[in-house]
Amino acid sequence: NAGVTQTPKFQVLKTGQSMTLQCAQDMNHEYMSWYRQDPGMGLRLIHYSVGAGITDQGEVPNGYNVSRSTTEDFPLRLLSAAPSQTSVYFCASSRRDRDGYTFGSGTRLTVV
Amino acid sequence: GENVEQHPSTLSVQEGDSAVIKCTYSDSASNYFPWYKQELGKRPQLIIDIRSNVGEKKDQRIAVTLNKTAKHFSLHITETQPEDSAVYFCAAPLGYSTLTFGKGTMLLVSP
């Protein structure tokens, strides 16, 4: 039981490049979310999903896309990277609503 | 949507003292309030949570209290130790599908 697995752990992108941050969980959790963490800003919600085929926008969705084709996977796509997207990205999942989230180990992204 | 405010942003205590972190929320329908601890360079980890049908929950040196009338909940850490030094986040439900977080409190426990 690996929990929530995020890859890669570190990434450097050039402005304008695209990439996908991977997130997978093996706990059969229905609910999954992506957050970004910046100094002094806490954890801000980017996108979330309540099950396969269902996604919705969070607080800061611009510049990011998501899809949920399976229960296990919830990738986050950066369409055209910008320096403002330099951040630590966390994926999290939970068994149901009103339940504590389990976080992945994070991806530290730098856009130059 | 739900809005969570957390205070203080930093808290320095001496080892053995108590620490209290407070959060307020806006949606009176919210009924689940978790607390997370994040050590430097690590992921946030759930340390305790409370549901709206109880007013207090304890787990060894940590406790959480909930005041639904005033719409605030607090984390209490007693007999603090250096290993309690971390950033603590409170959270509340955002709709029925996810969580929204406070901005965090950096707790520093000095030996």
Side-chain angles (χ1 to χ4, degrees):
Chain A
N1 190 334
V4 180
T5 302
Q6 287 185 241
T7 57
K9 293 191 183 303
F10 303 93
Q11 183 71 49
V12 178
L13 286 179
K14 293 183 178 179
T15 298
Q17 287 185 317
S18 62
M19 78 160 294
T20 299
L21 279 62
Q22 301 292 344
C23 176
Q25 52 89 12
D26 61 358
M27 298 174 285
N28 201 30
H29 284 176
E30 289 296 318
Y31 288 53
M32 297 185 76
S33 294
W34 276 101
Y35 294 88
R36 60 177 288 173
Q37 185 173 32
D38 304 292
M41 301 296 290
L43 294 156
R44 291 186 293 169
L45 182 66
I46 306 171
H47 286 283
Y48 62 98
S49 170
V50 299
I54 306 170
T55 64
D56 208 345
Q57 296 181 351
E59 179 186 1
V60 288
N62 292 340
Y64 308 95
N65 273 354
V66 292
S67 61
R68 186 96 180 269
S69 57
T70 67
T71 299
E72 295 77 19
D73 299 301
F74 191 41
L76 178 73
R77 298 184 190 83
L78 278 70
L79 309 173
S80 177
S84 60
Q85 294 179 304
T86 294
S87 187
V88 180
Y89 291 84
F90 286 102
C91 178
S93 72
S94 75
R95 185 168 52 90
R96 54 182 171 85
D97 65 326
R98 305 297 194 261
D99 212 357
Y101 266 118
T102 298
F103 280 82
S105 57
T107 295
R108 184 174 294 275
L109 176 68
T110 302
V111 182
V112 298
Chain B
E2 179 64 275
N3 182 46
V4 176
E5 294 192 1
Q6 182 172 347
H7 299 280
S9 57
T10 60
L11 180 59
S12 295
V13 300
Q14 292 288 111
E15 183 176 0
D17 288 349
S18 295
V20 181
I21 304 169
K22 182 176 176 178
C23 287
T24 59
Y25 61 97
S26 59
D27 187 353
S28 57
S30 291
N31 61 3
Y32 173 70
F33 306 95
W35 285 90
Y36 288 81
K37 176 183 181 182
Q38 186 180 29
E39 297 176 346
L40 189 62
K42 302 289 183 64
R43 74 191 77 187
Q45 292 197 302
L46 179 69
I47 56 172
I48 194 167
D49 56 16
I50 190 168
R51 299 182 190 274
S52 59
N53 57 343
V54 297
E56 183 176 7
K57 183 177 179 180
K58 289 183 179 180
D59 184 2
Q60 299 183 348
R61 294 187 298 107
I62 62 172
V64 56
T65 58
L66 172 64
N67 183 327
K68 288 196 67 181
T69 302
K71 291 191 284 188
H72 68 71
F73 57 109
S74 300
L75 178 70
H76 305 255
I77 305 174
T78 59
E79 301 174 20
T80 54
Q81 301 168 3
E83 52 264 38
D84 294 329
S85 295
V87 178
Y88 292 82
F89 292 97
C90 63
L94 182 63
Y96 290 91
S97 311
T98 186
L99 294 174
T100 187
F101 287 81
K103 287 185 166 46
T105 297
M106 178 176 290
L107 174 64
L108 301 172
V109 181
S110 303

